[in-house]
Amino acid sequence: DDDESPEYQYDAPGIFNVVLTATDSLGCTYQDSTNLTWQPAPEAIIFQPSESVGCPPLEVSFKNLSFPIDSTYETIWSFGDDSISYEISPTHTYLIPGNFDIHVQVTSPIGCFEEAFFPRWIDVDSLPVADFTYEPPSYITNFNPTVNFHDNSRRAAFWAWEFGEDAELGSTLGTDPEFTFPDTGFVEVQLAIMHYYGCVDTIVKTVEVIPRVTYKLPNAFT
């Protein structure tokens, strides 16, 4: 029908051969064809990162959802830490803490250009650091076997204590526990901390419980 102009949406960019076949009332046909180049820049740069917050090393996969785009397009990613990639959907590992901007540029094979800038899109926080002290720091004996532990960790959100190898003597949660050692000797105390983003650090210190013996002698004999 001469009054109709057909529309068609291509699923991917490329060069397409379009053929028009016309048939008159007598059944005679005529064909004409032409190559249609459809390689525009994406209307918008859209991507989905696998992670947006975490601790180093933080591996982030950037899934490119922009349309249209394929391997014939030139794609340049800048990750904010002086690293770049030319992949459509790259993976990048952040090794240092900081807030990182993402800059994406797309150029189609016929020169159409689109870019987008995403400030402070990736947040890489510092690693947690586990540490603790305890009192009394020395002269823990079987007569005074109760020890107060004090957390000195940095960037911790969760705490787990183990007393003895593989928590053979006990375990607890919290920042400043109190523990009474049931026997003398050298005991390993482990503190494991976790960051809000799930990063973990541990520290182990050895506590010595000194055995002491007293003698009670009578002051008179019969």
Side-chain angles (χ1 to χ4, degrees):
D1 191 329
D2 293 339
D3 295 332
E4 294 183 2
S5 298
E7 294 183 359
Y8 182 78
Q9 176 67 50
Y10 290 97
D11 295 330
I15 301 175
F16 306 95
N17 183 248
V18 181
V19 179
L20 172 63
T21 301
T23 304
D24 62 17
S25 59
L26 299 177
C28 300
T29 61
Y30 175 78
Q31 285 189 336
D32 192 14
S33 65
T34 186
N35 286 331
L36 172 65
T37 300
W38 188 66
Q39 295 173 322
E43 294 183 3
I45 303 296
I46 304 173
F47 70 89
Q48 179 180 353
S50 59
E51 307 286 344
S52 59
V53 296
C55 303
L58 179 65
E59 183 178 273
V60 183
S61 297
F62 296 88
K63 185 178 181 180
N64 197 332
L65 303 176
S66 308
F67 179 82
I69 194 171
D70 65 11
S71 60
T72 64
Y73 283 57
E74 180 184 72
T75 307
I76 303 176
W77 294 78
S78 297
F79 300 110
D81 59 353
D82 297 326
S83 299
I84 63 174
S85 174
Y86 297 96
E87 299 180 25
I88 295 178
S89 297
T91 296
H92 180 65
T93 300
Y94 290 91
L95 300 177
I96 60 175
N99 294 108
F100 299 96
D101 307 327
I102 304 299
H103 185 206
V104 188
Q105 298 174 296
V106 176
T107 304
S108 77
I110 59 175
C112 300
F113 178 79
E114 184 64 50
E115 66 177 337
F117 182 73
F118 303 88
R120 303 171 65 87
W121 198 260
I122 304 297
D123 180 13
V124 183
D125 203 352
S126 299
L127 288 168
V129 179
D131 192 20
F132 68 88
T133 58
Y134 55 90
E135 58 182 7
S138 58
Y139 301 108
I140 304 169
T141 70
N142 51 318
F143 291 108
N144 186 28
T146 299
V147 179
N148 294 307
F149 293 88
H150 303 286
D151 172 63
N152 291 333
S153 304
R154 299 195 298 273
R155 294 178 292 279
F158 305 95
W159 300 261
W161 302 79
E162 292 185 356
F163 303 99
E165 187 175 356
D166 297 325
E168 61 181 336
L169 301 181
S171 63
T172 188
L173 304 176
T175 56
D176 301 312
E178 178 183 276
F179 187 76
T180 300
F181 290 92
D183 202 352
T184 59
F186 293 93
V187 180
E188 289 187 350
V189 177
Q190 175 180 280
L191 170 61
I193 63 170
M194 181 181 292
H195 190 277
Y196 279 111
Y197 298 152
C199 311
V200 177
D201 189 36
T202 61
I203 187 172
V204 176
K205 294 186 178 183
T206 301
V207 176
E208 182 183 8
V209 182
I210 303 172
R212 296 190 65 182
V213 179
T214 60
Y215 298 94
K216 183 177 181 180
L217 299 177
N219 56 8
F221 294 91
T222 60

